[in-house]
Amino acid sequence: MKYEEAIAKLNETNAEELSVKLESLKNRENLSEEEINVLLAETVGMLFSASKECKAEELYRVVRSGGKPLDNHENSLLEENPLFGEDYIRFCHDPIMPFVEGKIAEGETISLMTYRKAVKENPLALLMEGFPEDSNVFDILAKDGLSENGKGNYLSAAKFIKDELIKENKDEKFIRKIKSLLEGEELCTALCYSHDGADYIAMRKDTVDIYYCCTSIIVCRLDWMENKGAIVEVTPLSHSKGFVLPGKDIEYEEFGEVGTFTFEMDDYR
C-alpha cells in the first residue's frame, strides 16, 4: 500500500477489530484460502513497505549435502526449506544461527559457507518485521500524520509478522503471501528480519553474485551445540581452495590436524 494511504488506513482502523483479525489469522487452520486472503489484506495489507541497506561484510549459510562436498556453484545455492520461495536464498550475519535454524544434529556433516562483500554498494532489503517500537522513524511518521492509534496498529501487525517469521514450524506458504503484500508489484532484491540478536537476510538468487562472493566452504562435522547455539563446536574435514564462481567446479583440500573450531554466540552479539 502507498505510504499516504497506509497512514490513513492505520489511523482509522479500530485496534480491537484488528486484534481479532490477527488472532483469527494466527489460528487459521479452519479458515479457507479466500478467508485468509481477505484477512491478510485487511491487516498486513495496510502496512507500507520499508527497506534498509544491508551493510554486512560477511554472510553465512549451512548446506546439507548428504555429507558430501558441494561440487559446483549451482548446488551451492540449494536451500532445504526456501522460506521466501525458490527465487530467494537465506543467509545469517553469524556462522552459528544457521546450525540452530537448520536443526543440524550432532555428528552430522554439513557445508558451512562464508560470503564476503564484493562491491561497495549495499543491497536494499525489505523490512519484513517493520520498525521496532523505539525506532526514531516513528517521529517522522508522526509528522507525516501517523496517530497513536495508527502506531499501535502498525506495531500489532508488525508483531504478528515477526511471530510468524520466528516460530519453530514456519508456514512457508503463508509467509510468502505476507512477502507479496509487503513488496507490492516489484520483486525485492533482498528481505530481512532479526531474532534473538541474529540478523537474517534473504537475497534473490540472481542478485547474490552481484553483491557477495562465496570465499569459503568448510566441510565440517557438528560435534556438539550448547544452549541453542551459545557455543557450537565443529571438526573441519576439508575446505574449498578458492572462490566459488559460476561455471567452475569446486575443488577441496584436507584440513589436516587442526583440531576443532569453536564458535561462541557472545563473539557475534
Side-chain angles (χ1 to χ4, degrees):
M1 184 175 289
K2 292 181 179 180
Y3 182 66
E4 295 82 3
E5 294 175 356
I7 288 180
K9 188 67 176 176
L10 287 164
N11 288 345
E12 69 187 26
T13 296
N14 181 280
E16 291 185 7
E17 291 178 3
L18 176 62
S19 179
V20 170
K21 290 177 180 179
L22 290 174
E23 190 63 26
S24 295
L25 281 173
K26 181 180 178 181
N27 304 290
R28 56 187 175 275
E29 291 81 7
N30 297 320
L31 295 179
S32 68
E33 195 79 7
E34 183 178 354
E35 289 171 327
I36 290 173
N37 290 340
V38 169
L39 285 172
L40 272 175
E42 294 175 348
T43 55
V44 174
M46 68 180 177
L47 299 180
F48 55 86
S49 298
S51 59
K52 71 173 185 178
E53 289 186 52
C54 175
K55 298 180 179 180
E57 290 297 321
E58 286 190 348
L59 295 173
Y60 302 89
R61 297 178 57 229
V62 160
V63 181
R64 281 187 173 97
S65 51
K68 298 178 181 179
L70 298 166
D71 54 8
N72 58 53
H73 179 268
E74 184 178 3
N75 286 341
S76 75
L77 293 177
L78 296 175
E79 183 162 8
E80 189 173 355
N81 297 303
L83 186 60
F84 298 105
E86 297 291 342
D87 294 333
Y88 286 84
I89 190 163
R90 206 156 36 128
F91 303 88
C92 196
H93 287 203
D94 68 65
I96 295 175
M97 291 312 294
F99 285 89
V100 179
E101 186 84 3
K103 299 178 182 177
I104 307 302
E106 291 183 4
E108 188 172 356
T109 297
I110 52 83
S111 295
L112 174 62
M113 307 183 69
T114 300
Y115 290 72
R116 285 197 61 82
K117 195 77 177 300
V119 293
K120 291 183 179 179
E121 292 77 19
N122 299 316
L124 276 179
L126 177 73
L127 289 168
M128 287 293 295
E129 60 189 343
F131 300 109
E133 185 173 3
D134 59 355
S135 173
N136 293 331
V137 171
F138 285 108
D139 294 333
I140 299 172
L141 294 175
K143 292 178 181 178
D144 288 343
L146 186 69
S147 66
E148 281 301 311
N149 182 66
K151 178 181 178 180
N153 287 335
Y154 178 95
L155 292 171
S156 294
K159 182 181 183 303
F160 169 78
I161 296 171
K162 176 69 173 281
D163 289 345
E164 289 293 324
L165 287 168
I166 66 175
K167 69 182 184 182
E168 186 171 355
N169 296 312
K170 299 176 180 60
D171 185 341
E172 295 167 12
K173 182 180 178 182
F174 186 69
I175 287 174
R176 290 169 200 168
K177 286 179 179 288
I178 292 174
K179 165 188 167 292
S180 295
L181 281 172
L182 291 178
E183 72 179 351
E185 296 178 359
E186 241 182 90
L187 287 177
C188 297
T189 298
L191 319 162
C192 65
Y193 65 99
S194 60
H195 177 47
D196 282 348
D199 293 323
Y200 298 88
I201 180 169
M203 295 189 67
R204 282 212 327 261
K205 288 183 179 179
D206 60 355
T207 63
V208 171
D209 292 330
I210 296 174
Y211 296 98
Y212 288 88
C213 179
C214 180
T215 57
S216 168
I217 300 179
I218 298 176
V219 181
C220 57
R221 182 184 65 245
L222 175 62
D223 292 329
W224 62 278
M225 184 189 302
E226 180 181 301
N227 191 24
K228 294 184 178 180
I231 298 177
V232 172
E233 185 175 277
V234 302
T235 294
L237 305 173
S238 61
H239 63 91
S240 55
K241 288 185 178 180
F243 294 172
V244 178
L245 301 172
K248 290 190 176 183
D249 293 337
I250 303 171
E251 296 183 7
Y252 293 85
E253 57 187 1
E254 300 301 314
F255 258 104
E257 299 296 327
V258 297
T260 59
F261 289 172
T262 301
F263 303 114
E264 297 191 28
M265 192 77 78
D266 288 345
D267 293 336
Y268 299 92
R269 296 289 186 271

